[in-house]
Amino acid sequence: MSNEVRVRFAPSPTGYLHLGSLRTALFNYLFARHHGGKFILRIEDTDQSRKVEGAVENLVNILNEMGLNYDEGPGAGGKFGPYFQSERLEIYKKYCDELLAGGHAYYAFETAEELDEMRKVQQMQGRQTMYDRRARNLSENEVKEKLTSGNPYVIRLKVPLDEEIRFTDIIRGNVKIETNLIDDQVLLKSDGYPTYHLANVIDDHLMGITHIIRGEEWLTSVPKHILLYRAFGWEVPQMAHVPLILNPDKTKLSKRQGDVSTEDFLKKGYLKEALLNFMALLGWNPGDGEEREIFTKDELIKLFSIERVNSAGAVFNIEKLNWMNGEYIKNYDIDELTGLILPYLNAGGIDTSDIAKTKRVVYAVRNYISRLDEAAEHAKIYYSKLSLNEEQKDIITSETSKKVFALLYSKIGQLTEITAENFKPLLNEVQKETGVKGKNLFMPVRLALTGEEHGPELGLIAYVFGKQEVLKKLEEVL
Ligand code: GLU
């Protein structure tokens, strides 16, 4: 086989893409693209009790939406399929038989109650709870008898005793564990389905996976997997276990603390580019000594190296994500951004039928928001009718205000149009020519245009309304 890099993202579909999984998928993707290798999607759906309707479609959609295109997997084809574990049951069975024949696995017949009892006794004695390997002592005849009389059974891994398993993880470094502490893992369940461990090892081998990049929670399973690779006589892929994502209080980022699904973050108006950029920096940095934080996907591909992933947990800092998202929003192509913000404005009850105005509104509000769903709130002033209180009315009807309005009106009349830049100089001229300045100048103009005492920069406001609408508003207060 060539030494092309082949990595996989192997989720058990739950119906949504957890941010931790998004990052695992992203690291695999970046690693594959960096090395010109292949990124594979494998669906680990052997747990029948956890099946969720539509989960795979969701997953495929969200990966595509995030731009994490895979080279092989559901819908993409590939010559190592099927890519659904539920369609590979025959394969697992065959390899499990091989393990039995080679003496690396054995039948066990304990009932759930018996296992429970075993656990309780171990707990009472303060020992590690694990299968006590008792079925290893069954004679060949006893096994045969139980099988022919139809006793339910599982097949367990026969862990060799009194050894030490050592391996090197790219991120975690050297790890070692005594085999006496390793459970005789169930490989095939009584329903004939494989467990994660068996299916995972067989598939990673048959699919030619060269590097396993996955969450740290699987690190403790590696010794069992190594024993399986050894029993089959297969080469162990390289491994990289990426650290957990943590809340600021250092607890594991989980559903209980709020949203953790990628879909929810997109819905709230995080841009996918920002989310990817942010996730890439959770536990990784390019280490080139530069302070920058904003990276395009192509730059990430170029810079990414799995060796630079930190072994310490990565804190999910929502303020940083908000800041980064704001930066992306500020610098996004205005037409595309308008398209993305439109649904949020509509949902906020804003009439977006004048698309030219909508685009100017987006231009103005984008400097003030860190999420797209904040846009409608900031856009309201560009659509509301004036409603002033008595005090405000006094301000706009004062002598000086009238003077300001009249001069401003004639100056705007001479413009072809109001741009994002030419309104402020006009106000400066008005200041010079009338002698009215500061709050006395800006407040009445602001009130006349928006009915609000505070808000964005006046030049922006005038630009959003455009010449005709500004003149109309001034006519009302002249
Ligand atoms: N199906 C496992 C999960 O959902 C995959 C772990 C692995 O990548 O080996 O996390």
Side-chain angles (χ1 to χ4, degrees):
M1 207 180 246
S2 73
N3 37 16
E4 178 188 58
V5 159
R6 289 175 60 82
V7 293
R8 84 306 191 272
F9 175 49
S12 310
T14 52
Y16 70 95
L17 185 62
H18 188 288
L19 286 176
S21 302
L22 171 67
R23 189 189 52 164
T24 301
L26 175 63
F27 281 6
N28 274 286
Y29 171 88
L30 294 175
F31 186 78
R33 294 291 170 263
H34 179 89
H35 292 283
K38 294 277 187 290
F39 174 48
I40 293 139
L41 174 64
R42 180 174 74 227
I43 305 296
E44 302 211 325
D45 57 349
T46 55
D47 190 344
Q48 291 302 91
S49 65
R50 287 187 17 202
K51 258 202 154 134
V52 181
E53 205 48 49
V56 175
E57 290 75 6
N58 266 349
L59 189 80
V60 167
N61 288 343
I62 188 80
L63 287 177
N64 286 333
E65 193 178 340
M66 293 304 290
L68 302 179
N69 331 70
Y70 48 90
D71 307 297
E72 295 172 26
K79 50 181 196 262
F80 297 85
Y83 293 92
F84 287 87
Q85 288 191 327
S86 59
E87 294 171 17
R88 300 172 63 84
L89 300 181
E90 287 303 309
I91 301 175
Y92 307 130
K93 177 92 188 45
K94 176 183 144 220
Y95 281 103
C96 204
D97 286 345
E98 222 177 77
L99 289 176
L100 283 168
H104 303 292
Y106 61 94
Y107 291 95
F109 300 89
E110 288 76 23
T111 61
E113 291 73 34
E114 285 168 322
L115 293 174
D116 236 24
E117 187 55 36
M118 184 190 306
R119 210 168 300 128
K120 270 191 206 133
V121 173
Q122 288 168 338
Q123 265 163 356
M124 258 164 38
Q125 296 169 341
R127 287 191 293 150
Q128 182 187 343
T129 54
M130 63 195 283
Y131 180 65
D132 65 6
R133 316 193 206 268
R134 65 177 70 159
R136 288 185 181 204
N137 305 323
L138 293 175
S139 71
E140 224 170 287
N141 273 340
E142 281 172 309
V143 171
K144 250 189 214 139
E145 229 168 73
K146 284 181 188 287
L147 287 176
T148 36
S149 54
N151 279 15
Y153 64 86
V154 298
I155 293 173
R156 287 183 180 272
L157 173 66
K158 192 168 181 183
V159 173
L161 302 179
D162 306 322
E163 267 191 50
E164 197 174 65
I165 303 285
R166 293 164 181 263
F167 63 96
T168 304
D169 184 90
I170 298 174
I171 298 169
R172 314 295 307 210
N174 294 333
V175 182
K176 56 180 181 187
I177 181 168
E178 288 169 31
T179 52
N180 291 1
L181 301 173
I182 303 175
D183 214 345
D184 277 2
Q185 178 64 47
V186 173
L187 301 175
L188 208 67
K189 296 181 275 187
S190 52
D191 60 4
Y193 276 77
T195 55
Y196 156 75
H197 307 280
L198 179 68
N200 191 269
V201 165
I202 293 175
D203 287 348
D204 281 343
H205 174 73
L206 294 183
M207 294 182 180
I209 300 305
T210 57
H211 297 76
I212 295 175
I213 302 171
R214 66 182 161 202
E216 184 181 88
E217 64 271 31
W218 300 106
L219 186 71
T220 51
S221 300
V222 174
K224 292 172 191 168
H225 298 180
I226 288 180
L227 289 171
L228 282 170
Y229 282 104
R230 195 162 93 183
F232 286 123
W234 295 339
E235 197 185 325
V236 183
Q238 295 207 53
M239 312 234 180
H241 287 83
V242 304
L244 292 177
I245 301 180
L246 306 173
N247 292 301
D249 67 0
K250 301 283 157 82
T251 55
K252 187 176 164 196
L253 187 73
S254 76
K255 226 172 169 175
R256 256 170 301 148
Q257 270 97 2
D259 294 328
V260 288
S261 89
T262 307
E263 290 86 338
D264 283 336
F265 276 78
L266 292 179
K267 254 186 240 145
K268 277 192 239 168
Y270 289 100
L271 297 172
K272 54 179 189 253
E273 293 86 347
L275 202 52
L276 278 190
N277 188 161
F278 175 77
M279 295 311 294
L281 296 180
L282 270 188
W284 173 82
N285 69 71
D288 52 10
E290 298 197 19
E291 294 278 302
R292 61 190 286 226
E293 307 246 40
I294 305 286
F295 299 94
T296 64
K297 194 164 86 176
D298 284 343
E299 289 170 331
L300 291 173
I301 289 172
K302 210 165 134 215
L303 293 166
F304 188 75
S305 93
I306 195 74
E307 286 82 12
R308 286 206 54 82
V309 174
N310 255 315
S311 58
V315 173
F316 188 91
N317 179 344
I318 191 82
E319 279 89 32
K320 180 170 170 185
L321 173 58
N322 288 340
W323 165 79
M324 192 175 277
N325 203 47
E327 290 300 300
Y328 271 86
I329 291 174
K330 277 191 202 90
N331 296 299
Y332 221 71
D333 173 83
I334 196 73
D335 289 309
E336 279 180 51
L337 187 64
T338 304
L340 293 175
I341 287 188
L342 214 54
Y344 295 93
L345 294 179
N346 290 333
I350 283 173
D351 172 13
T352 54
S353 53
D354 178 351
I355 195 73
K357 176 169 176 181
T358 306
K359 210 194 281 185
R360 295 197 301 274
V361 168
V362 170
Y363 179 86
V365 304
R366 71 150 148 200
N367 294 306
Y368 298 92
I369 60 175
S370 57
R371 291 188 340 213
L372 301 186
D373 66 348
E374 295 161 358
E377 200 44 46
H378 288 265
K380 279 196 179 124
I381 56 161
Y382 301 110
Y383 299 90
S384 56
K385 289 228 154 44
L386 279 201
S387 96
L388 302 177
N389 62 32
E390 289 309 314
E391 208 180 313
Q392 292 167 334
K393 277 184 195 150
D394 286 348
I395 294 178
I396 62 162
T397 50
S398 79
E399 197 88 344
T400 51
S401 297
K402 295 268 178 198
K403 219 164 45 179
V404 166
F405 293 150
L407 189 57
L408 192 58
Y409 187 83
S410 79
K411 284 187 183 291
I412 293 171
Q414 288 159 28
L415 296 174
T416 342
E417 60 176 356
I418 298 179
T419 67
E421 284 85 31
N422 66 6
F423 190 76
K424 255 193 127 184
L426 279 196
L427 283 178
N428 289 342
E429 288 175 26
V430 172
Q431 175 184 328
K432 271 201 205 110
E433 292 169 36
T434 58
V436 182
K437 55 184 177 197
K439 203 174 162 198
N440 291 340
L441 170 64
F442 298 121
M443 185 59 82
V445 178
R446 183 177 288 285
L447 282 173
L449 296 184
T450 67
E452 302 284 340
E453 295 181 23
H454 306 283
E457 207 206 306
L458 271 177
L460 266 184
I461 296 175
Y463 165 67
V464 172
F465 285 126
K467 181 177 168 182
Q468 293 316 321
E469 212 173 332
V470 170
L471 288 178
K472 224 168 78 200
K473 284 177 184 288
L474 288 177
E475 276 160 26
E476 280 170 34
V477 294
L478 272 176

